[in-house]
Amino acid sequence: DAKMHRHSVRLAVASSLGAGVVAGLLSTPGQTRSDFTTALWSVARGFPSLPLPRLTVTVMADEAHAQEAHIIDGKAIAKQIRLEIKQHVVDLQREHALTPGLAVVLVGNRTDSSTYVRMKKTAAAEVGFYSVDKQFDETVTEEELLSCVRQLNADPKIHGILVQLPLPRHIDEARVLESIKVEKDVDGFSAENVGNMCLRGGKPPLALPCTPAGCIELLQRSNVKVSGKEAVVIGRSNIVGMPVAQLLQSMDATVTVCHSRTANLAEHVRRADVVIAAIGRAEMVPGNWIKPGAVVIDVGVNSKPAPNTKRGYALCGDVKYDEAKQVASAITPVPGGVGPMTIAMLLKNTLNLARHSIDLPRIPLRRS
């Protein structure tokens, strides 16, 4: 609140209250909106004969006061992370003759999955990784898929294995994912990695879930203070909600996890200094739920009708961006916020698994 609304204010009072009555109220730098409201109400109470509807106050703030939220540029931050990873790869190749290797297993021809795999392959090439693609028809058997994973587990040039989801219904996803060795679990979803992420004082996980780790990187690299703050995570999925809540708690935030059955959801969100929206519902969170000065990380990728566009739809997040950016101190856009970070963190996980393979320490998430 103070960060967003600190300003010097001039008052024009159009009522039977003269300017002299309120001259000392708010000419001081450092006042906030809430300070102003409290002070003005105190003055008004001193004039019981004055009809409150007639009290009209115009606040003319400095330009800084009218500033919108800082836009957290996920594309730019992801690019910086890729540059750092590329340098680590150069160092590994020079000092240890090791090139990180990433294998991606794709089943079927879903357009979204194929596009995502292509983006991962491009990013892997950009940072100098060795990459392998294993592609199967929808009719692949579970045993064929398991055999592929076993071969990749045994390949010393491969340090990270990613099975692109969803898989066809006739395949047991859990069984396939559990067959990936923890040392090559590039998604960070194995029970061992998740357990180590949740334990205090134990071994660190070999890899972290990519999207939650990307959220933390965005906060860290935007110099957002998390320790001692109230954080609300909207969504409790195993992929985003629960891991990101655990990571925030490990950074000494006080974390509330909300979900579809949470009563009075708006009240929880309004208390939050940091909001992570990962519920998967288009523009569910309006701007008036956001605490002034809060930081908003919008994980959602949804579509909404846009009849005047070529595609007929537009991408949007879980938060009403145009409203929230008027209130928040910082916010991620959709697209261009969390999305690019997911692939960047996949690369970072692969790098860490390659380092682990020769007993080098992992590169941790940055800490403020």
Side-chain angles (χ1 to χ4, degrees):
D1 194 8
K3 181 179 179 182
M4 288 294 292
H5 306 304
R6 192 173 289 123
H7 57 287
S8 298
V9 182
R10 292 167 290 147
L11 299 177
V13 181
S15 71
S16 46
L17 277 179
V21 177
V22 293
L25 277 183
L26 266 181
S27 57
T28 308
Q31 284 284 25
T32 66
R33 274 186 189 169
S34 57
D35 294 333
F36 169 71
T37 303
T38 301
L40 185 59
W41 182 250
S42 296
V43 171
R45 285 199 308 174
F47 291 82
S49 61
L50 178 68
L52 287 181
R54 289 180 57 208
L55 181 62
T56 305
V57 178
T58 303
V59 179
M60 292 164 285
D62 295 338
E63 287 183 10
H65 168 65
Q67 211 168 13
E68 290 184 347
H70 165 69
I71 308 305
I72 299 175
D73 188 343
K75 287 183 179 179
I77 294 174
K79 181 178 180 180
Q80 178 60 38
I81 291 172
R82 293 196 303 272
L83 288 172
E84 293 168 9
I85 292 170
K86 186 174 184 177
Q87 184 57 53
H88 281 294
V89 172
V90 171
D91 295 341
L92 274 178
Q93 291 170 334
R94 183 182 65 249
E95 298 170 14
H96 302 281
L98 179 69
T99 299
L102 174 64
V104 178
V105 180
L106 176 64
V107 178
N109 55 4
R110 284 174 56 114
T111 302
D112 55 349
S113 293
S114 298
T115 300
Y116 195 42
V117 167
R118 186 171 63 250
M119 291 167 62
K120 291 172 182 175
K121 186 175 180 179
T122 300
E126 179 187 341
V127 298
F129 283 4
Y130 166 70
S131 64
V132 171
D133 293 332
K134 298 288 186 179
Q135 200 152 356
F136 297 91
D137 292 333
E138 288 268 355
T139 56
V140 66
T141 66
E142 187 172 306
E143 188 50 46
E144 286 174 323
L145 213 50
L146 289 169
S147 176
C148 174
V149 172
R150 284 194 291 268
Q151 291 173 24
L152 294 171
N153 278 336
D155 188 343
K157 293 188 295 183
I158 297 299
H159 303 100
I161 301 172
L162 172 73
V163 177
Q164 184 66 36
L165 302 179
L167 295 176
R169 289 185 178 181
H170 67 277
I171 293 176
D172 184 343
E173 283 188 358
R175 187 178 177 213
V176 172
L177 295 178
E178 287 168 6
S179 71
I180 300 172
K181 291 172 62 176
V182 67
E183 293 85 1
K184 300 192 178 190
D185 171 33
V186 77
D187 265 331
F189 289 144
S190 71
E192 184 173 335
N193 274 328
V194 172
N196 284 333
M197 178 183 67
C198 294
L199 289 174
R200 290 179 61 85
K203 293 193 305 181
L206 298 180
L208 289 166
C210 298
T211 301
C215 293
I216 300 303
E217 285 274 14
L218 289 173
L219 292 171
Q220 299 275 24
R221 291 173 185 255
S222 301
N223 297 314
V224 175
K225 183 181 178 183
V226 173
S227 177
K229 299 297 183 180
E230 292 264 358
V232 167
V233 178
I234 311 173
R236 55 178 172 178
S237 72
N238 289 332
I239 295 173
V240 181
M242 296 309 292
V244 81
Q246 186 59 43
L247 291 172
L248 288 166
Q249 186 169 288
S250 75
M251 296 165 67
D252 300 320
T254 300
V255 183
T256 301
V257 178
C258 299
H259 46 80
S260 59
R261 299 299 181 91
T262 298
N264 302 317
L265 177 59
E267 292 180 19
H268 290 286
V269 177
R270 287 189 182 111
R271 292 201 310 268
D273 302 300
V274 177
V275 177
I276 310 287
I279 199 73
R281 291 178 58 183
E283 298 186 329
M284 175 185 170
V285 180
N288 62 11
W289 286 16
I290 304 301
K291 176 182 177 180
V295 175
V296 178
I297 305 295
D298 193 347
V299 182
V301 180
N302 312 288
S303 62
K304 63 179 180 179
N308 295 327
T309 65
K310 186 176 181 180
R311 293 183 299 183
Y313 69 91
L315 294 180
C316 64
D318 293 347
V319 177
K320 288 188 176 179
Y321 178 77
D322 288 338
E323 294 179 9
K325 72 178 182 180
Q326 305 295 331
V327 186
S329 62
I331 189 170
T332 57
V334 177
V338 175
M341 295 298 295
T342 299
I343 292 179
M345 301 317 295
L346 178 78
L347 300 177
K348 189 169 183 178
N349 277 348
T350 306
L351 172 64
N352 273 331
L353 292 172
R355 291 173 62 87
H356 175 76
S357 73
I358 54 173
D359 298 322
L360 290 177
R362 65 192 283 271
I363 301 165
L365 286 178
R366 298 173 73 249
R367 293 297 179 99
S368 56

